[in-house]
Amino acid sequence: MGGKQSRGFSNRELSEVSVIQGGRSAGNDQAGLSSAAERIRRHATVHFGYSTLSLAMRGLDDAPAELWELRELQKLNLSMNCLCSLPPTLSALDNLVVLNLWGNNLTSLPPEIGLLKKLRVLFACRNRLSEVPEELGSCAGLEVLSLANNQITSLPGSLAAMRNLTKLNLSHNRIAHIPTCVYSMKGLVFLHLACNRLETIADQIQDLVNLKILIVEGNSIHTLPKTLCFLDSLELLNVDFNELQSVPVEMYLLSRLRKLACHPMDKGLHILHNPLLKPIKEVLQGGLSSLYNYLKPT
């Protein structure tokens, strides 16, 4: 289905909503809410079959209180505002499938986010999050979760219930150990952990049997576990800018890594800017096939 076109939701109209909200009397409280909510509802569109509303780049310090009345919304974009928090009434939007909070000043997510049982995509990157609520684990239908560019050090164990998650972005945080719950996310195809504080990857990495893309560049990893080499679906492995001196002898088992890659999203093995020792460093000059031939047992 195509999308129905609508003009943008202006900052002036947002101000009018606030005036209505602030000016209503106690007796007309519900009527005022409904009136203001209708002003917002008029700017929702139906896009590819989803009820969609964008309030992106509006300079919002707070989302309009009436927003949480629009229970029919399935996609909500609040990105690139100045939001510092979200109210518990967020849970009223229980039909949300996509929630975009990218580029705000959020220091936390409300526990009530766990009541959004239909949520499949959550973008909360580029905020000021230092932790994630346990209740997020109740969003078991999540397929895409981006928490990149925050101040996160770990994830709650409850996220292990996210068996439908296929893409997880935790890059540019403060993570020293891959959270244990990640190894239970068996559906993961894409895992981005670049620019954290990792020194090791646990043997449990082999449990992510569907993983095709693993990005851990820009950490302090000094060794790769041999169990990593059992991920026979892996097509892109980026370990650039780490502290690797060697590679597991089982590396040749990663048959879908077909070349040494340079461009960030090229498939293959990215292993530049590591203090590799001889003879691995010299062997790699002949390409990935040379490395595999060198590592294979005779």
Side-chain angles (χ1 to χ4, degrees), residues 63-84:
E66 298 79 10
L67 173 63
W68 317 116
E69 288 189 66
L70 309 184
R71 291 191 58 187
E72 72 276 10
L73 285 182
Q74 295 170 290
K75 293 185 176 183
L76 176 60
N77 186 352
L78 289 169
S79 66
M80 300 181 70
N81 281 293
C82 306
L83 303 176
C84 293

Side-chain angles (χ1 to χ4, degrees), residues 24 28 33 50 52 70 74 77 80 94 99 101 114 116 121 125 142 199 208 215 248 253 269 274 298:
R24 61 179 182 259
N28 294 322
L33 271 172
Y50 291 94
T52 303
L70 309 184
Q74 295 170 290
N77 186 352
M80 300 181 70
D94 52 6
L99 177 58
L101 303 171
L116 303 179
V121 178
C125 39
L142 265 181
E199 295 185 5
L208 302 181
I215 304 173
L253 296 173
L269 175 64
N274 281 278
T298 55

